[in-house]
Amino acid sequence: MPLSGKAALVTGGSRGIGRAIVQRLARDGAQVVFSYQSNDDAADSVVEAVRAGGGAAHAVRADQGDLDAVRALLDTATDRLGGLDILVNNAAASEPAPIDDVTEADFDRVMTINAKAPFFAIQHAGRTMRDDGRIVSISTLNTVIPGPGGALYTASKAALERFTAIAARELGPRRITVNAISPGAIDTDLLRSTNPPEALALAETYSALGRLGQPADIADVVAFLAGPDSRFITGQNLRVTGGYLI
């Protein structure tokens, strides 16, 4: 198991892509702490699934929109794991709205969850992570294919991509790699709840592989970036889209 003995923190790990990441890292041998916002049953089911596969995962309830809660999560994860080797910034908020309809509260919440909280998570990791660590942040293809209604989401993820590039420079001397992944259309409950069936069918036709992505498609790339084989890759944004953009 390539991640045996490694300690990992995944934000937003109870559903969708986050759940797949937690399960994959644990299957590869990592001890995983993951956060979730409010769904205790979903979090418990992830823990049970990981344990059934012989792995170890712990759920911590934390609102990514509350910076004090994020700091408490980081401290709790580091203490429980006895250190930190892997950080995955996955938790995100998407509240599509035309610019004209965006409120100050909307702006603050999306920017806090998608950019501010990951920034300070990266800062914490830089201070506490062991040498040869791995930081992976989940961005989005929408930073290069923006659409109406996505101003906050797209801008917040673009900020996260810049944090990734600069952190890679700053943490490189300690052999800590920092990378981002930009998924395309991934078949999750969130995708299906925010898009009509015809939009999903169109996304399949745009993909060179002719299908929507699955959460495991992203989790597998996270596992690669978190593992030893990616040791010379840093400061990159991998577009995992099935060829949606070539």
Side-chain angles (χ1 to χ4, degrees), residues 131-191:
D131 290 352
D132 299 293
R134 302 285 188 266
I135 299 174
V136 183
S137 296
I138 306 301
S139 184
T140 174
L141 184 62
N142 294 132
T143 58
V144 291
I145 306 181
L152 293 184
Y153 182 70
T154 301
S156 63
K157 290 295 190 176
L160 183 57
E161 291 175 9
R162 292 300 85 206
F163 299 157
T164 294
I166 293 168
R169 289 286 189 187
E170 295 184 359
L171 299 177
R174 294 176 50 209
R175 302 179 307 281
I176 294 173
T177 66
V178 190
N179 292 289
I181 294 172
S182 286
I186 306 301
D187 194 359
T188 61
D189 292 341
L190 177 62
L191 182 76

Side-chain angles (χ1 to χ4, degrees), residues 193-210:
S193 67
T194 56
N195 290 276
E198 56 270 22
L200 301 182
L202 188 61
E204 291 181 350
T205 66
Y206 284 162
S207 166
L209 299 180

